[in-house]
Amino acid sequence: MYPFDPHTYLFITEHDREQRLLRSERHRLSAAQKRLRRDELRVQRAWDELTASLADVSASERRVLELAQS
């Protein structure tokens, strides 16, 4: 399928190539955003676990100090 005007044909092929590149970039961006959201959730869970663990350690230290002072 070659239009009569070569410039039109070249324009169309260049436009098609740019559209494919744009779709590819959008796909990569979408995948990166999904990974980022997943990683953010992992970090949030790890932070929550760390906070809970530190609270447990702090409570344990208080109990030890209370027992030592008794």
Side-chain angles (χ1 to χ4, degrees):
M1 179 177 126
Y2 188 82
F4 295 116
D5 182 15
H7 292 27
T8 302
Y9 175 76
L10 291 175
F11 173 79
I12 291 171
T13 57
E14 179 68 18
H15 180 71
D16 288 346
R17 186 181 73 79
E18 289 173 356
Q19 290 297 313
R20 279 193 308 275
L21 286 173
L22 183 60
R23 277 193 302 274
S24 174
E25 285 295 319
R26 285 180 180 162
H27 179 73
R28 278 195 291 266
L29 178 60
S30 174
Q33 287 172 332
K34 286 177 187 174
R35 286 191 306 272
L36 178 61
R37 281 191 297 273
R38 184 190 66 222
D39 292 346
E40 286 174 339
L41 289 173
R42 275 192 210 155
V43 168
Q44 184 61 46
R45 279 193 298 267
W47 181 260
D48 292 344
E49 289 175 15
L50 176 62
T51 303
S53 178
L54 288 173
D56 291 345
V57 167
S58 179
S60 295
E61 287 176 345
R62 279 195 303 270
R63 281 193 295 269
V64 167
L65 286 174
E66 288 171 1
L67 289 173
Q69 292 175 354
S70 302

